[in-house]
Amino acid sequence: MEYEIGPEEATSTAVVRAVSAVEGRDPQSLRPLADVLEPTALDSLFESQDDGRSRVGGRLTFVYSRCWVTVDNGEYLTLEQLESDIRNERSNGADGDLG
């Protein structure tokens, strides 16, 4: 799934909203994002520069809940559910170990 981050939406908020949508869960039922990474640091990594210009480039990928989350340039999120990755690895003969 791809999710476009709104112009006034914090990256951390977008992550929680997108993951809850992919998993079909209420955002409040998800594990706190702060258990995975510092939301303020995530937001500051992709926020506008001091002069208001957008930052150019940058990508971050991490696991939150049951999804691989990739933030691209603070504008888009790409989410892939972990269960499908594990099933695909098992069907290809891998043991499903993600680490």
Side-chain angles (χ1 to χ4, degrees), residues 66-82:
R66 293 176 289 200
C67 293
W68 282 107
V69 178
T70 300
V71 183
D72 282 309
N73 201 32
E75 297 175 346
Y76 297 95
L77 300 175
T78 304
L79 292 96
E80 296 180 43
Q81 290 189 289
L82 290 173

Side-chain angles (χ1 to χ4, degrees), residues 46 55-59 72-74:
F46 293 104
R55 296 191 189 274
V56 177
R59 174 179 277 185
D72 282 309
N73 201 32

Side-chain angles (χ1 to χ4, degrees), residues 29-97:
S29 71
L30 296 174
R31 175 181 177 190
L33 183 59
D35 287 355
V36 176
L37 52 78
E38 177 55 48
T40 305
L42 176 64
D43 293 339
S44 64
L45 192 64
F46 293 104
E47 69 187 7
S48 298
Q49 298 180 47
D50 291 337
D51 63 4
R53 291 183 299 144
S54 295
R55 296 191 189 274
V56 177
R59 174 179 277 185
L60 178 68
T61 300
F62 57 94
V63 174
Y64 175 54
S65 191
R66 293 176 289 200
C67 293
W68 282 107
V69 178
T70 300
V71 183
D72 282 309
N73 201 32
E75 297 175 346
Y76 297 95
L77 300 175
T78 304
L79 292 96
E80 296 180 43
Q81 290 189 289
L82 290 173
E83 291 84 3
S84 63
D85 289 346
I86 292 170
R87 275 193 298 264
N88 289 339
E89 287 180 16
R90 286 185 180 154
S91 67
N92 290 332
D95 64 5
D97 183 9

Side-chain angles (χ1 to χ4, degrees), residues 3-15 17-18 43 74 77:
Y3 179 95
E4 185 173 356
I5 301 171
E8 300 299 319
E9 186 175 28
T11 304
S12 59
T13 301
V15 167
R17 286 180 180 161
D43 293 339
L77 300 175

